[in-house]
Amino acid sequence: QVQLVESGGGLVQAGGSLRLSCAASGRTFSSYSMGWFRQAYGKEREFVAAISGSGGSTWYVDSVKGRFTISRDNAKNTMYLQMNSLKPEDTAVYSCAADPRYWRVVGNNNIEYWGQGTQVTVSS
């Protein structure tokens, strides 16, 4: 099975930046589409960003477009989320996910593998 481990969360002031990482096990990393999701206190988990196995396709929720960038380094079995111009409303637990099908990640539909999550807190 694929194991995913997030890192890079923390406390940051509004307007600041954080870079989240998601390290994956296995030797078939490039065959998986991946994505980032977040769940704020008292709210449902929401899709944030997705990237195809090759990195050729990306998709973002409207609220983070222009501020967040998803990327991956298949040689390192690692996916990243660069978060700039952070806002208090970005505060949430951020989780990475992986699935063989890009559409499942984009649509948050029965995604196969999940990390444990990392807390991002943006102070005002």
Side-chain angles (χ1 to χ4, degrees), residues 40-109:
Y41 180 78
K43 296 186 177 181
E44 296 293 305
R45 184 180 66 197
E46 70 169 343
F47 168 83
V48 177
I51 187 166
S52 60
S54 67
S57 298
T58 60
W59 193 258
Y60 301 89
V61 67
D62 286 346
S63 61
V64 308
K65 288 180 179 176
R67 300 189 298 120
F68 291 10
T69 302
I70 189 170
S71 62
R72 64 192 297 161
D73 185 341
N74 287 344
K76 295 183 180 294
N77 285 3
T78 304
M79 177 187 60
Y80 306 95
L81 185 67
Q82 179 65 48
M83 305 185 294
N84 298 326
S85 301
L86 282 162
K87 305 174 181 179
E89 51 263 45
D90 295 319
T91 295
V93 174
Y94 284 71
S95 299
C96 67
D99 195 279
R101 305 298 186 190
Y102 184 57
W103 64 268
R104 292 179 186 170
V105 178
V106 172
N108 190 12
N109 181 22

Side-chain angles (χ1 to χ4, degrees), residues 7-30:
S7 62
L11 176 64
V12 65
Q13 186 173 292
S17 298
L18 284 173
R19 191 190 195 198
L20 305 183
S21 298
C22 175
S25 66
R27 298 186 181 275
T28 58
F29 180 72
S30 64

